[in-house]
């Protein structure tokens, strides 16, 4: 029986969500629209199978097709990122990061990561996360003036602190990371270089962001952000760390892999290996830059003053509203984006002084520079009049009209 026949309640909510996704502007920097092919693979019969282990070495019988699916996913990931080895089993970015810690650290070991409020991730040493509870995080910061990473300061801190591992790759940093500088720092103190490329993996795959592969000891990534695959994650490593990475995922930190999601990842890698993906990745960055420039031209302050990626971080302090207020007002107008801490934020994490915008989902819909200018004008209208209900209603209609010209799924 179909979902509609079996469970009309859930079917109805999924249908409503599709309409909502279609009729709103998605600017959450970590979101995207997976293709129908990716969703078909993810929703397939592969969900019925247990496959603990790896291709050719499973702890369950009956994996003849599963082995092929996972082996293809691994080969495609290796080709896409030009890396020695890939593990496609991590269930999520947090799981992948946990496995990286498991591979290289012992409880109590010291590591360095960018503070959460500065753009780092929860799993990069937040005191409420295992990374901050079971290990000893030392936070590095962006420069107070430029709001960019200060590689000399990071080197100095690493020499003082002697961490066993250093993480770079963030959730709210709009500039390109100098991986070579991090490599030099790690070499100077004998630390492992872990690069979390979750946000910009699709840009790396599409040649719109430098690759960390020549520098990293271990790479973690989600697969559903700019990379546009199913919700999940992956890890990559050079030859010297291939075995330790695989053992850290299974049996170290996970049990049975989600082979249906792995099939979705295989399809995503196949799509990302096509020439159109390069065009998409380049357009993601172009769109973000236009959106950023338009916001700046309208008097909006950006953290670091610009973007070099898919991501824009707005400081709302000069506008006199909080991130929480802006997020609610924008959502009422059909613009979906998330509030975010900014460096040296004076507001609490639940309130924040910032908004984070990303261009990947709109780019996937086919939107280009013209639509970014339009989108920026709508954002500015709402940010300047967050309590004007009539205006928000007008913007909502404008958003619906704009979205109608760019269907998410064309057939
Ligand atoms: N939730 C992701 C993001 O929005 O950046 C990070 O886990």
């Amino acid at each position: 029986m179909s979902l509609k026949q079996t469970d009309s309640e859930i079917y109805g909510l999924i249908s409503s969500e599709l309409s909502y996704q279609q009729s709103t502007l998605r600017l959450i920097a970590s979101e995207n629209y997976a293709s129908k092919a990716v969703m078909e693979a993810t929703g397939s019969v592969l969900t019925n199978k247990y496959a603990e282990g790896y291709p050719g070495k499973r702890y369950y019988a009956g994996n003849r097709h599963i082995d092929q699916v996972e082996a293809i996913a691994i080969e495609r990931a290796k080709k896409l990122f030009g890396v020695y080895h890939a593990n496609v089993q991590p269930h999520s970015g947090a799981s992948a990061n946990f496995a990286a810690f498991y591979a290289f650290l012992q409880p109590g070991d010291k590591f360095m990561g960018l503070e959460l409020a500065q753009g780092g991730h929860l799993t990069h040493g937040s005191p409420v996360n295992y990374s901050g509870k079971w290990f000893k995080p030392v936070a590095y910061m962006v420069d107070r003036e430029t709001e960019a990473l200060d590689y000399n300061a990071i080197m100095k801190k690493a020499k003082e602190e002697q961490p066993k591992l250093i993480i770079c790759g963030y959730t709210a940093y709009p500039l390109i990371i100098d991986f070579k500088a991090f490599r030099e720092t790690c070499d100077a103190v004998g630390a492992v270089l872990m690069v979390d490329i979750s946000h910009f993996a699709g840009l790396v795959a599409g040649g719109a962001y430098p690759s960390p592969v020549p520098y990293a000891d271990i790479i973690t990534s989600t697969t559903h952000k700019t990379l546009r695959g199913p919700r999940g994650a992956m890890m990559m490593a050079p030859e010297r760390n291939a075995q330790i990475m695989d053992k850290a995922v299974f049996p170290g930190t996970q049990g049975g892999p989600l082979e249906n999601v792995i099939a979705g990842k295989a399809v995503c890698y196949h799509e990302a290996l096509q020439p159109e993906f390069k065009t998409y990745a380049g357009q993601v960055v172009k769109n973000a830059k236009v959106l950023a420039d338009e916001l700046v031209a309208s008097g909006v302050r950006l953290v670091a003053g610009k973007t070099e990626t898919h991501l824009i971080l707005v400081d709302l302090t000069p506008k006199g509203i909080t991130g929480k207020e802006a997020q609610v007002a924008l959502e009422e107008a059909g613009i979906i984006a998330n509030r975010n801490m900014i460096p040296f934020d004076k507001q609490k994490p639940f309130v924040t002084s910032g908004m984070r915008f990303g261009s990947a989902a709109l780019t996937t819909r086919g939107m280009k520079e013209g639509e970014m200018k339009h989108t920026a004008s709508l954002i500015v209208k709402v940010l300047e009049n967050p309590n004007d209900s009539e205006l928000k209603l007008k913007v909502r209609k404008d958003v619906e009209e704009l979205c109608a010209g760019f269907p998410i799924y064309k057939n």
Side-chain angles (χ1 to χ4, degrees):
M1 282 217 292
S2 69
L3 176 63
K4 191 175 181 180
Q5 290 164 318
T6 310
D7 191 337
S8 58
E9 200 175 3
I10 293 298
Y11 176 84
L13 286 168
I14 293 174
S15 304
S16 302
E17 175 61 17
L18 175 60
S19 309
Y20 189 54
Q21 288 189 13
Q22 173 58 47
S23 65
T24 48
L25 285 172
R26 300 272 153 165
L27 285 148
I28 291 184
S30 47
E31 291 186 0
N32 213 326
Y33 300 107
S35 70
K36 279 198 163 178
V38 164
M39 292 195 293
E40 191 178 331
T42 308
S44 69
V45 292
L46 303 193
T47 196
N48 299 332
K49 198 68 199 89
Y50 250 116
E52 278 181 19
Y54 288 105
K57 198 175 170 216
R58 304 284 188 185
Y59 291 82
Y60 287 82
N63 277 304
R64 64 189 66 185
H65 304 121
I66 298 292
D67 271 3
Q68 289 181 61
V69 167
E70 188 168 337
I72 289 170
I74 292 167
E75 285 312 308
R76 287 180 182 170
K78 284 162 57 176
K79 189 171 171 197
L80 183 62
F81 288 97
V83 70
Y84 179 80
H85 188 49
N87 187 307
V88 294
Q89 294 195 358
H91 302 324
S92 70
S95 305
N97 287 351
F98 187 39
F101 275 57
Y102 185 91
F104 294 107
L105 299 178
Q106 294 296 320
D109 277 348
K110 193 186 273 186
F111 72 96
M112 271 172 61
L114 186 66
E115 203 185 57
L116 181 68
Q118 302 246 325
H121 188 248
L122 197 65
T123 55
H124 297 182
S126 161
V128 294
N129 183 260
Y130 75 85
S131 56
K133 280 192 190 296
W134 298 346
F135 302 90
K136 270 198 213 125
V138 173
Y140 58 89
M141 310 278 177
V142 296
D143 179 78
R144 204 175 259 277
E145 286 300 306
T146 61
E147 296 169 310
L149 293 169
D150 176 343
Y151 295 97
N152 291 329
I154 294 167
M155 171 72 94
K156 188 166 169 273
K157 186 153 224 168
K159 283 184 174 165
E160 282 160 16
E161 297 287 350
Q162 296 290 316
K164 276 190 77 177
L165 177 146
I166 300 178
I167 308 176
C168 68
Y170 318 106
T171 65
Y173 185 68
L175 307 179
I176 285 174
I177 299 162
D178 184 346
F179 298 121
K180 188 164 172 276
F182 271 103
R183 179 73 264 164
E184 283 163 8
T185 299
C186 286
D187 287 345
V189 299
V192 168
L193 176 56
M194 170 178 163
V195 185
D196 180 346
I197 65 167
S198 294
H199 260 270
F200 48 86
L203 306 184
V204 173
Y209 193 105
S211 170
V213 168
Y215 307 105
D217 292 304
I218 190 103
I219 297 171
T220 60
S221 183
T222 49
T223 45
H224 50 270
K225 297 186 174 92
T226 48
L227 191 52
R228 211 164 60 183
R231 191 155 289 277
M234 63 190 292
M235 294 171 76
M236 293 176 273
E239 186 173 6
R240 63 184 181 280
N241 294 326
Q243 232 186 349
I244 195 173
M245 172 177 78
D246 277 354
K247 283 188 176 156
V249 175
F250 177 84
T253 55
Q254 285 194 174
L258 311 177
E259 294 292 344
N260 54 316
V261 184
I262 288 172
K265 291 172 193 172
V267 176
C268 147
Y269 303 141
H270 174 71
E271 290 176 354
L273 281 162
Q274 306 311 308
E276 304 84 80
F277 197 83
K278 269 197 178 347
T279 313
Y280 149 80
Q283 191 66 46
V284 167
V285 176
K286 276 188 214 161
N287 280 353
K289 284 187 174 163
V290 171
L291 190 59
D293 289 348
E294 289 294 309
L295 291 173
V296 169
S298 306
V300 175
R301 195 186 94 76
L302 305 190
V303 170
K306 61 177 181 178
T307 182
E308 296 172 342
T309 66
H310 65 299
L311 185 152
I312 296 161
L313 193 57
V314 167
D315 176 8
L316 293 165
T317 321
K319 293 247 169 274
I321 55 169
T322 65
K324 194 163 171 238
E325 287 161 341
Q327 179 182 307
V328 170
L330 286 166
E331 183 173 340
E332 282 168 5
I335 299 169
I336 312 299
N338 66 291
R339 64 186 184 278
N340 214 97
M341 298 282 274
I342 57 168
F344 312 103
D345 206 325
K346 293 194 176 71
Q347 297 284 359
K348 293 202 171 84
F350 201 72
V351 177
T352 82
S353 301
M355 282 298 295
R356 189 183 66 162
F357 298 107
S359 60
L362 297 191
T363 307
T364 294
R365 291 182 84 150
M367 293 190 188
K368 294 207 166 75
E369 287 87 338
E371 288 76 33
M372 293 305 112
K373 287 184 184 172
H374 189 170
T375 299
S377 75
L378 298 177
I379 291 172
V380 170
K381 275 185 196 168
V382 176
L383 292 184
E384 283 176 355
N385 306 280
N387 301 315
D388 185 338
S389 304
E390 209 173 304
L391 176 120
K392 283 184 280 188
L393 214 58
K394 269 197 201 142
V395 172
R396 180 76 186 97
K397 288 220 166 69
D398 207 337
V399 165
E400 275 171 24
E401 271 169 34
L402 176 57
C403 289
F406 296 88
I408 309 170
Y409 298 111
K410 292 185 181 64
N411 48 47

